[in-house]
Amino acid sequence: MSRHVPIRMCVACRRRRPKGELLRILLTPEGFVLDPSGKRPGRGAYVCPDNPECWKEKKLRRFAGAKAKALAEALAAHLGGMHGQGQDLPAG
Ligand SMILES: [Zn+2]
């Protein structure tokens, strides 16, 4: 079975990977929304969920600009928790 696998690029490290290996970020007028299901309508972007380097504000700035900080925090909260670590999230 050789189904076509869509390839997407991580906006942080620019590595190309199968879409299923990446975490989708939905681009909305209000800002970025994480879309773990990958199924919400709208424009999307992708980051590596398994590489904390790709969640860093500095790496995201080229893509997210002034919203990089908020995006980095959302990614760390979502993905850090997923691995059972990262319990040191700042309050608020
Ligand atoms: Zn990446």
Side-chain angles (χ1 to χ4, degrees):
M1 200 157 86
S2 63
R3 285 179 55 196
H4 175 72
V5 178
I7 301 295
R8 295 292 181 269
M9 188 179 76
C10 169
V11 296
C13 68
R14 310 194 107 182
R15 191 183 306 161
R16 291 174 189 278
R17 303 175 64 174
K19 188 180 169 185
E21 291 184 6
L22 294 162
L23 172 66
R24 188 167 186 255
I25 300 162
L26 190 66
L27 278 52
T28 77
E30 292 79 36
F32 300 109
V33 178
L34 302 187
D35 178 20
S37 75
K39 293 193 166 108
R40 293 172 66 170
R43 283 190 60 202
Y46 296 83
V47 296
C48 305
D50 51 2
N51 184 0
E53 283 295 309
C54 295
W55 319 337
K56 292 192 172 164
E57 179 186 355
K58 203 173 156 187
K59 290 261 196 172
L60 294 165
R61 196 169 290 148
R62 177 174 46 204
F63 159 71
K67 288 176 176 158
K69 187 165 191 287
L71 180 58
E73 284 170 358
L75 286 168
H78 179 75
L79 295 167
M82 201 168 77
H83 295 289
Q85 292 166 355
Q87 299 297 318
D88 57 339
L89 294 174

